[in-house]
């Protein structure tokens, strides 16, 4: 009877489907690019399980001013599929590494009409429950003033720190050299004084008989 119960438990445990856990998906928040340039949109995920051979990645695109999203890319079964009718049919390349949980894509030769929101979804069976992550793309004809100001400010701060470090370095070298020189002069003067006293010898005591009263 016990043997029968044990076998029944093994069979039941074997047919119970493995429970899925939540999967966390990550993308950037906002990306800026210039017309005619290329940009990489990153997508990765966290899962408590090993990367499955059935891992999938999906990208959708919603243009600015539109409520509808269109599918532009899908990875499944070890193969990548690009939508052959969408706006990125000839300008999208899969550059991710599914084995490392990377589902990134590369958009080429950007246009102003490419502004919009890109959403990535990933599945790592049995972990298939997760919230897709979105990144907004802003394409400019030239570097926006705000971005230029921020970039200039960052460069200015970095250069200022470098100059400050160099000044502090040479100041410390000067102070150390000055201290060493002062110690050397003090030590040399002390030795010279001691040598002079040794050459003069001790002063003889005065003869009391020669002292005038």
């Amino acid at each position: 009877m016990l043997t029968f119960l044990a076998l029944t438990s093994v069979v039941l445990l074997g047919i119970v489907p493995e429970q899925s856990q939540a999967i966390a998906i990550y993308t950037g928040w906002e990306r800026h690019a210039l017309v005619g340039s290329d940009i990489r949109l990153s997508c990765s995920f966290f899962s408590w399980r090993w990367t499955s051979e059935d891992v999938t990645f999906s990208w959708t695109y919603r243009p600015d001013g539109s409520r509808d999203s269109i599918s532009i890319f899908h990875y499944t079964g070890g193969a990548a599929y690009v939508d052959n009718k969408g706006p990125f049919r000839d300008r999208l390349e899969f550059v991710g590494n599914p084995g490392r949980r990377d589902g990134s894509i590369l958009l080429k030769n950007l246009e102003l009409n490419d502004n919009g929101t890109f959403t990535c979804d990933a599945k790592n069976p049995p972990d298939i429950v997760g919230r897709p992550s979105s990144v907004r793309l802003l394409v400019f004809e030239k570097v926006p003033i705000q971005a230029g100001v921020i970039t200039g400010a960052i460069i200015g701060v970095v250069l200022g720190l470098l100059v400050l470090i160099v000044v502090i370095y040479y100041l410390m070298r000067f102070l150390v050299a000055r201290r060493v020189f002062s110690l050397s002069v003090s030590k040399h003067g002390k030795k010279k004084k001691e040598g002079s006293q040794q050459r003069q010898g001790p002063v003889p005591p005065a003869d009391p008989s020669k002292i005038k009263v």
Side-chain angles (χ1 to χ4, degrees):
M1 183 65 179
L2 292 176
T3 304
F4 175 75
L5 291 176
L7 292 174
T8 304
S9 300
V10 170
V11 172
L12 290 176
L13 290 175
I15 63 176
V16 172
E18 192 174 6
Q19 294 183 352
S20 63
Q21 296 183 3
I23 181 173
I25 305 169
Y26 306 97
T27 61
W29 178 63
E30 186 174 280
R31 300 298 308 275
H32 296 172
L34 296 177
V35 172
S37 64
D38 302 342
I39 192 168
R40 178 189 178 111
L41 300 182
S42 300
C43 177
S44 59
F45 68 86
F46 172 80
S47 173
W48 287 105
R49 304 183 188 277
W50 295 101
T51 305
S52 170
E53 294 182 355
D54 298 323
V55 63
T56 65
F57 289 97
S58 299
W59 282 90
T60 59
Y61 165 65
R62 179 172 59 83
D64 282 350
S66 174
R67 295 183 179 181
D68 299 326
S69 298
I70 59 175
S71 176
I72 58 174
F73 174 80
H74 187 68
Y75 176 91
T76 184
Y81 301 93
V82 179
D83 178 36
N84 57 5
K85 296 181 180 179
F88 303 100
R89 57 185 178 276
D90 298 323
R91 300 185 292 127
L92 190 152
E93 178 183 353
F94 180 60
V95 293
N97 186 342
R100 295 186 176 183
R101 306 184 174 188
D102 181 7
S104 302
I105 58 175
L106 181 70
L107 302 181
K108 303 178 180 179
N109 193 21
L110 292 175
E111 303 172 356
L112 288 176
N113 294 333
D114 295 336
N115 287 322
T117 301
F118 295 79
T119 302
C120 176
D121 191 14
K123 308 293 183 185
N124 186 39
D127 294 349
I128 59 174
V129 180
R131 183 177 180 179
S133 182
S134 299
V135 54
R136 190 174 181 220
L137 175 63
L138 298 177
V139 182
F140 302 94
E141 288 185 338
K142 58 182 180 180
V143 179
I145 297 177
Q146 184 179 4
V149 171
I150 294 175
T151 303
I154 294 175
I155 294 175
V157 171
V158 173
L159 291 178
L161 289 175
L162 291 177
V163 171
L164 181 61
I165 292 173
V166 172
V167 170
I168 293 176
Y169 171 74
Y170 280 103
L171 180 60
M172 293 298 295
R173 286 191 59 181
F174 172 76
L175 293 177
V176 171
R178 183 178 179 182
R179 178 63 176 170
V180 172
F181 178 75
S182 299
L183 292 175
S184 178
V185 171
S186 176
K187 187 176 181 180
H188 180 71
K190 186 176 180 181
K191 287 184 177 180
K192 186 175 181 181
K193 185 176 182 180
E194 291 177 354
S196 176
Q197 291 179 353
Q198 291 177 357
R199 287 195 300 269
Q200 290 177 0
V203 178
D207 188 358
S209 62
K210 293 183 179 181
I211 299 176
K212 294 182 180 181
V213 180

